[in-house]
Amino acid sequence: MAGWTSAPRPRWRVVDIVVASVLGVAGGFLFVAWNAGWEPISRALAFFPPASGLLVGVWLLPAVLGALVVRRPGAAVYTELVAATVSALVGNQWGFATVWYGLLEGLGPEVVFALLLYRRWGLPTALLAGAAAGVVVGLLDSFVYYPEFSAAYKLVYTGLTTVSGVVIAGLGGWLLTRALAATGALAPLASGRDAERV
């Protein structure tokens, strides 16, 4: 399954929009739960502030998952943006900034899928997409939320957000796609048909 490929299909169908929206909304409620636990969990890592970067991958998951499942140009941005909007509407400690953060977090993996011409959907692609999302959020956080970090801390923080993006968003998104495909829920989509051939 690591070499999943398919020809690009630029036009979105209704089923693509519905599935991406459902994944985005589900991701939004995942964000809500993670937002609630953020303060106590990150406080436990306060002995080394950049270590909180290991936790951000959860916020990057919808982008990679949405693209792997729907396989349409823009799916990473759309799914992440829907999740971020749900999180902002429910309410969180970061307010409306969550929305434009979601847009930029979705752009990271979207660029990876675009560079691969929306043809490769295997594990290496998923890991690379997760890494791209991690780099984006690492750079954003370093300058928006942690300007007091030294250059070394910012470098470490961005490295850890990248690791988190690879493991949670990349590997996690790929495993979730496989799990969803195994249930038959993705049968109308190319990701589901690939699973049937494996």
Side-chain angles (χ1 to χ4, degrees), residues 9 11 13-19 69-72 180-181 183-196:
R9 299 174 181 175
R11 293 186 61 183
R13 302 168 300 162
V14 172
V15 67
D16 299 323
I17 297 170
V18 170
V19 171
V69 168
V70 176
R71 298 187 178 185
R72 300 286 179 186
L180 287 170
T183 68
L186 306 182
L189 305 170
S191 54
R193 291 191 290 274
D194 273 354
E196 292 172 357

Side-chain angles (χ1 to χ4, degrees), residues 132-173:
V135 169
V136 169
V137 75
L139 293 174
L140 281 172
D141 283 353
S142 292
F143 292 97
V144 175
Y145 290 112
Y146 304 118
E148 74 280 9
F149 276 4
S150 66
Y153 264 26
K154 287 178 179 176
L155 186 62
V156 172
Y157 181 79
T158 302
L160 294 178
T161 61
T162 303
V163 170
S164 185
V166 168
V167 174
I168 299 176
L171 178 60

Side-chain angles (χ1 to χ4, degrees), residues 44-91:
L45 299 175
F47 64 93
F48 184 59
S52 63
L54 289 170
L55 306 175
V56 306
V58 173
W59 287 307
L60 311 175
L61 180 60
V64 179
L65 177 62
L68 291 177
V69 168
V70 176
R71 298 187 178 185
R72 300 286 179 186
V77 170
Y78 177 79
T79 309
E80 186 74 19
L81 193 56
V82 170
T85 302
V86 169
S87 175
L89 290 174
V90 172

Side-chain angles (χ1 to χ4, degrees), residues 16-119:
D16 299 323
I17 297 170
V18 170
V19 171
S21 299
V22 169
L23 291 174
V25 171
F29 284 105
L30 173 66
F31 287 1
V32 171
W34 196 236
N35 297 342
W38 173 254
E39 292 300 335
I41 296 172
S42 61
R43 198 177 304 124
L45 299 175
F47 64 93
F48 184 59
S52 63
L54 289 170
L55 306 175
V56 306
V58 173
W59 287 307
L60 311 175
L61 180 60
V64 179
L65 177 62
L68 291 177
V69 168
V70 176
R71 298 187 178 185
R72 300 286 179 186
V77 170
Y78 177 79
T79 309
E80 186 74 19
L81 193 56
V82 170
T85 302
V86 169
S87 175
L89 290 174
V90 172
N92 63 54
Q93 52 271 61
W94 300 284
F96 185 76
T98 305
V99 176
W100 66 263
Y101 243 69
L103 174 64
L104 295 175
E105 288 167 351
L107 278 174
E110 190 71 49
V111 167
V112 170
F113 293 115
L115 288 174
L116 296 172
L117 306 177
Y118 297 102
R119 288 177 176 273

